[in-house]
Every structure is written in structure tokens, then in C-alpha cells.
Amino acid sequence: MGRRRGIMSQRFKEELAKELGFYDVVQREGWGAIRAKDAGNMVKLAIEKAERQLAENMK
């Protein structure tokens, strides 16, 4: 089975990496160079943003 394509757009991932402070690593070495902890924090932040957006849309 092949790897799943990402759900997040490249632009959104870059925005999250900038917000979390490791975008410089992504620019220099690519996404494979980020720490597992940073990847986890990026997913956590993406979920938080999605939940906030859903809550706003429910109003």
C-alpha cells in the first residue's frame, strides 16, 4: 500500500511551521528533517484551528 497523500495544503503546512518556529528547517532540509515532536505539534495546532473554525461556522 502506498503512502496517503497529505490532507493539509502545502501553504497551510508552511503557515503552521512558521507559527511554531521551525520553518527555517523545512526551507533548508525539507519536511523529512523536522523532529517528530514538531510534526506532532503541527498536527495538534491544525486540529485546534479546524475545531475553532467549525465552532465559528456553527454560530
Side-chain angles (χ1 to χ4, degrees):
M1 215 182 276
R3 292 183 74 167
R4 282 183 43 169
R5 282 195 162 257
I7 295 172
M8 291 189 274
S9 71
Q10 186 70 23
R11 186 171 150 223
F12 186 54
K13 289 193 299 187
E14 289 171 359
E15 176 186 320
L16 294 172
K18 287 175 186 174
E19 193 169 331
L20 293 169
F22 60 87
Y23 184 65
D24 58 323
V25 174
V26 173
Q27 284 185 306
R28 279 193 321 268
E29 303 173 44
W31 288 105
I34 66 172
R35 299 178 311 167
K37 182 177 180 179
D38 290 333
N41 287 338
M42 191 169 77
V43 171
K44 181 179 176 183
L45 182 58
I47 291 169
E48 289 171 2
K49 286 179 177 261
E51 287 175 341
R52 275 184 293 215
Q53 187 175 12
L54 281 173
E56 287 294 318
N57 290 341
M58 298 293 283
K59 289 182 181 181

